[in-house]
Coordinates of all heavy atoms in Angstrom, one line a residue:
H71 N -12.8 19.4 -6.1 CA -12.4 17.9 -6.2 C -11.0 17.8 -6.7 O -10.2 17.0 -6.1 CB -13.4 17.2 -7.1 CG -13.0 15.9 -7.6 ND1 -13.4 14.8 -6.9 CD2 -12.3 15.5 -8.6 CE1 -12.9 13.7 -7.5 NE2 -12.2 14.1 -8.6
F72 N -10.6 18.5 -7.7 CA -9.3 18.3 -8.2 C -8.2 19.0 -7.4 O -7.1 18.4 -7.3 CB -9.2 18.8 -9.7 CG -9.5 17.7 -10.6 CD1 -10.8 17.3 -10.9 CD2 -8.4 16.9 -11.1 CE1 -11.0 16.2 -11.7 CE2 -8.7 15.8 -11.9 CZ -10.0 15.4 -12.2
G74 N -8.5 19.0 -4.3 CA -8.4 18.0 -3.2 C -7.5 16.9 -3.6 O -6.8 16.3 -2.8
M75 N -7.6 16.4 -4.9 CA -6.7 15.4 -5.4 C -5.3 15.8 -5.3 O -4.4 15.0 -5.0 CB -7.1 15.0 -6.8 CG -8.5 14.6 -7.0 SD -8.7 12.8 -7.1 CE -8.3 12.6 -8.8
L76 N -5.1 17.1 -5.7 CA -3.8 17.6 -5.8 C -3.2 17.7 -4.4 O -1.9 17.6 -4.2 CB -3.9 19.0 -6.4 CG -2.7 19.5 -7.2 CD1 -2.5 18.6 -8.4 CD2 -3.0 20.9 -7.7
M78 N -3.4 15.6 -2.2 CA -3.0 14.2 -1.8 C -1.6 14.0 -2.4 O -1.4 14.0 -3.6 CB -4.0 13.2 -2.3 CG -3.7 11.8 -1.9 SD -4.9 10.7 -2.6 CE -4.6 10.7 -4.3
M80 N 1.5 11.5 -3.1 CA 1.9 10.2 -3.2 C 3.4 10.1 -3.7 O 3.8 11.0 -4.4 CB 1.0 9.4 -4.1 CG -0.3 8.9 -3.4 SD -1.1 7.7 -4.2 CE -2.1 8.6 -5.4
M84 N 1.8 11.6 -10.6 CA 0.5 11.1 -11.1 C 0.1 11.7 -12.4 O 0.5 12.9 -12.6 CB -0.6 11.3 -10.0 CG -0.4 10.5 -8.8 SD -1.8 10.4 -7.8 CE -1.9 12.1 -7.2
H85 N -0.6 11.0 -13.2 CA -1.1 11.5 -14.5 C -2.6 11.3 -14.6 O -3.2 10.4 -14.1 CB -0.4 10.8 -15.6 CG 1.1 11.1 -15.7 ND1 1.6 11.9 -16.7 CD2 2.1 10.8 -14.9 CE1 2.9 12.1 -16.4 NE2 3.2 11.4 -15.4
Y86 N -3.2 12.2 -15.4 CA -4.6 12.2 -15.5 C -5.0 12.1 -17.0 O -4.4 12.8 -17.8 CB -5.2 13.5 -14.9 CG -5.0 13.6 -13.4 CD1 -3.8 14.1 -12.9 CD2 -6.0 13.2 -12.5 CE1 -3.6 14.2 -11.5 CE2 -5.8 13.3 -11.2 CZ -4.6 13.8 -10.7 OH -4.5 13.8 -9.3
D87 N -6.1 11.4 -17.2 CA -6.5 11.3 -18.6 C -7.4 12.6 -18.9 O -8.4 12.9 -18.2 CB -7.4 10.1 -18.8 CG -7.9 9.9 -20.2 OD1 -8.7 10.8 -20.7 OD2 -7.6 8.9 -20.8
L88 N -7.0 13.3 -19.9 CA -7.6 14.6 -20.2 C -9.0 14.5 -20.6 O -9.9 15.2 -20.0 CB -6.8 15.4 -21.3 CG -7.3 16.8 -21.6 CD1 -7.2 17.7 -20.4 CD2 -6.5 17.4 -22.8
A89 N -9.4 13.6 -21.5 CA -10.7 13.4 -21.9 C -11.7 13.1 -20.7 O -12.7 13.7 -20.6 CB -10.8 12.3 -23.0
I90 N -11.3 12.2 -19.9 CA -12.1 11.8 -18.8 C -12.2 13.0 -17.8 O -13.3 13.3 -17.2 CB -11.5 10.6 -18.0 CG1 -11.5 9.4 -19.0 CG2 -12.4 10.2 -16.8 CD1 -11.0 8.1 -18.4
T91 N -11.1 13.7 -17.6 CA -11.1 14.9 -16.7 C -12.1 15.9 -17.2 O -13.0 16.4 -16.4 CB -9.7 15.5 -16.6 OG1 -8.8 14.5 -16.3 CG2 -9.7 16.6 -15.6
G138 N -13.7 11.3 -12.1 CA -12.5 12.1 -11.9 C -11.4 11.2 -11.3 O -10.2 11.2 -11.7
M139 N -11.8 10.3 -10.4 CA -10.8 9.3 -9.9 C -10.3 8.4 -11.0 O -9.2 8.0 -11.0 CB -11.4 8.5 -8.8 CG -11.8 9.3 -7.5 SD -10.4 9.6 -6.4 CE -10.1 8.0 -5.7
A140 N -11.3 8.0 -11.9 CA -10.9 7.1 -13.0 C -9.9 7.8 -13.9 O -9.1 7.1 -14.6 CB -12.1 6.7 -13.7
A141 N -9.9 9.1 -13.9 CA -9.0 9.8 -14.8 C -7.6 9.7 -14.3 O -6.6 9.9 -15.0 CB -9.4 11.3 -14.9
L142 N -7.5 9.4 -13.0 CA -6.2 9.1 -12.4 C -5.7 7.8 -13.0 O -6.3 6.8 -12.8 CB -6.4 8.9 -10.9 CG -5.2 9.2 -9.9 CD1 -4.6 10.5 -10.1 CD2 -5.7 9.0 -8.5
M143 N -4.7 7.9 -13.8 CA -4.3 6.7 -14.6 C -3.6 5.6 -13.8 O -2.4 5.3 -14.0 CB -3.5 7.1 -15.8 CG -4.4 8.1 -16.7 SD -3.5 9.0 -17.9 CE -3.1 7.7 -19.1
M206 N -12.3 10.1 -1.2 CA -10.9 9.8 -1.4 C -10.4 8.8 -0.4 O -9.6 7.9 -0.8 CB -10.1 11.1 -1.1 CG -10.3 12.2 -2.2 SD -9.7 11.6 -3.8 CE -7.9 11.8 -3.6
M221 N 5.2 7.3 -16.8 CA 3.9 7.0 -17.4 C 3.6 7.9 -18.5 O 3.7 9.1 -18.4 CB 2.8 7.2 -16.3 CG 2.6 6.0 -15.4 SD 1.2 6.2 -14.4 CE -0.1 6.4 -15.6
G223 N 1.5 9.8 -21.6 CA 0.1 10.2 -21.9 C -0.4 10.9 -20.6 O 0.1 10.9 -19.6
G224 N -1.6 11.5 -20.9 CA -2.3 12.2 -19.8 C -1.7 13.5 -19.4 O -0.7 13.9 -19.9
V225 N -2.3 14.1 -18.4 CA -1.8 15.4 -17.9 C -1.0 15.1 -16.6 O -1.5 14.4 -15.7 CB -3.0 16.4 -17.7 CG1 -2.4 17.7 -17.3 CG2 -3.9 16.4 -18.9
S226 N 0.1 15.7 -16.4 CA 0.9 15.5 -15.2 C 0.4 16.3 -14.1 O -0.5 17.2 -14.2 CB 2.4 15.9 -15.5 OG 2.4 17.3 -15.7
E227 N 0.9 16.0 -12.9 CA 0.5 16.7 -11.7 C 0.7 18.2 -11.9 O -0.1 19.1 -11.4 CB 1.2 16.2 -10.5 CG 0.4 16.2 -9.3 CD 1.0 15.5 -8.1 OE1 2.2 15.1 -8.2 OE2 0.3 15.3 -7.1
L228 N 1.9 18.6 -12.5 CA 2.2 20.0 -12.7 C 1.1 20.6 -13.6 O 0.6 21.7 -13.3 CB 3.6 20.1 -13.3 CG 4.0 21.5 -13.6 CD1 4.3 22.2 -12.3 CD2 5.3 21.5 -14.5
G229 N 0.8 19.8 -14.7 CA -0.2 20.3 -15.6 C -1.5 20.5 -14.9 O -2.2 21.5 -15.1
L230 N -1.8 19.5 -14.1 CA -3.1 19.6 -13.3 C -3.1 20.9 -12.5 O -4.1 21.6 -12.4 CB -3.3 18.4 -12.5 CG -4.6 18.4 -11.7 CD1 -5.8 18.3 -12.7 CD2 -4.6 17.2 -10.7
S231 N -2.0 21.1 -11.8 CA -2.1 22.3 -10.9 C -2.3 23.6 -11.6 O -3.0 24.5 -11.2 CB -0.8 22.3 -10.0 OG 0.3 22.4 -10.8

Side-chain angles (χ1 to χ4, degrees):
H71 167 90
F72 268 83
M75 301 259 278
L76 214 59
M78 185 179 67
M80 279 196 273
M84 290 197 293
H85 290 253
Y86 295 84
D87 183 296
L88 184 60
I90 301 182
T91 306
M139 294 280 287
L142 203 56
M143 297 166 74
M206 287 300 283
M221 277 190 58
V225 186
S226 68
E227 213 170 11
L228 180 68
L230 181 67
S231 58

